[in-house]
Amino acid sequence: MTATETAEHDRAGEAAIAGKPQPAPGATPPRTPLSSRAAAELLGTALLVAVVIGSGIQATELTRDVGVQLLANSIATVFGLGILILLLGPVSGAHFNPVVTLAEWWTARRGGDGVTAREVAVYVPSQVVGAIAGAILADAMFGEPLVEWSTHDRSAGHLLLGEVVATAGLILLIFGLARTGQLRFAPVAVASYIGAAYWFTSSTSFANPAVTVGRAFSDTFAGIAPGSVLGFIGAQLVGAVVGLALVALVFRPGRSAE
């Protein structure tokens, strides 16, 4: 018996004495409980919306230059999102976004890894509730009315096109990283993409139905009028479909040589 086998045998014996069941050698460890993953999605989405809305309020209080306001808002979002993905990714995957959750469920139906329908039914409401809570928290921190519907109309067609582009790019990035085994770079890559999309898309890249709903609850710099919410969500869903189509086109597995 080798030294490694002896050590494993001793550990197994100690566990057996303690009455603890042992997994089979090489077995995959159990997934985080669904309740914990739901809590991570709720908390992560809440903090993300709090960062987006709170930094927008802070920026408008510090300067009247809209360009500087958007710069401050985007920088805070980049750092906040990156940290949240790094922290909560190991728990729930750090979706914080119903289109990411739905896209993952779709790929799982097609034979890939991803969430189940039951998990989708838990993740998505958690994300929406978290987004609303985050908006209320941001308003509370800055002495704004806790719930005040936004009057910022975003219903123009070019803004909806911007949301299609922003969401398609996000899905292409996330699932492209997954297809190429580079998801370890997701905290930096996803946060950087959202920061860039703040500036190169006309809609400033919401790219997230839950965040869109949450931002309707705050009549501040980052808000969106309730009448514009459904159009944005529709554009985001279209963008998700486009993004998945691009993933299938660009990251097709190669054929083995005969």
Side-chain angles (χ1 to χ4, degrees):
M1 183 178 288
T2 66
T4 301
E5 290 172 335
T6 301
E8 291 177 351
H9 182 270
D10 290 343
R11 286 195 295 270
E14 292 171 0
I17 292 173
K20 297 178 181 178
Q22 293 298 296
T28 302
R31 297 183 70 183
T32 306
L34 183 55
S35 58
S36 296
R37 284 180 277 146
E41 286 297 301
L42 189 153
L43 177 63
T45 312
L47 292 176
L48 173 59
V49 173
V51 167
V52 172
I53 293 179
S55 61
I57 296 173
Q58 184 80 284
T60 57
E61 291 182 352
L62 294 175
T63 179
R64 293 187 178 182
D65 187 317
V66 177
V68 176
Q69 292 171 355
L70 185 61
L71 179 62
N73 192 209
S74 61
I75 290 174
T77 301
V78 166
F79 285 118
L81 179 57
I83 290 169
L84 290 171
I85 295 173
L86 185 65
L87 175 64
L88 298 174
V91 180
S92 67
H95 296 187
F96 314 146
N97 188 334
V99 295
V100 173
T101 300
L102 290 170
E104 189 175 291
W105 166 76
W106 178 256
T107 60
R109 288 181 71 251
R110 309 280 293 182
D113 294 327
V115 293
T116 64
R118 176 171 175 263
E119 290 168 328
V120 171
V122 173
Y123 269 44
V124 172
S126 298
Q127 292 158 355
V128 174
V129 171
I132 296 170
I136 293 172
L137 174 61
D139 285 339
M141 286 193 293
F142 287 92
E144 300 287 339
L146 296 185
V147 175
E148 185 174 22
W149 299 116
S150 175
T151 56
H152 194 161
D153 179 71
R154 299 178 188 263
S155 58
H158 68 281
L159 300 181
L160 300 181
L161 176 60
E163 277 302 283
V164 172
V165 172
T167 310
L170 178 63
I171 296 299
L172 176 62
L173 171 62
I174 293 172
F175 288 88
L177 290 175
R179 290 282 183 95
T180 56
Q182 300 185 90
L183 275 176
R184 64 189 180 280
F185 298 118
V188 172
V190 173
S192 298
Y193 171 78
I194 291 298
Y198 254 85
W199 291 91
F200 80 77
T201 65
S202 57
S203 63
T204 65
S205 183
F206 284 46
N208 186 328
V211 168
T212 302
V213 171
R215 288 167 71 162
F217 282 72
S218 180
D219 190 20
T220 56
F221 177 78
I224 177 173
S228 302
V229 168
L230 286 181
F232 259 51
I233 292 176
Q236 291 155 2
L237 292 174
V238 171
V241 173
V242 173
L244 285 174
L246 290 174
V247 171
L249 176 65
V250 174
F251 297 100
R252 288 182 294 181
R255 296 180 178 178
S256 58
E258 297 180 357

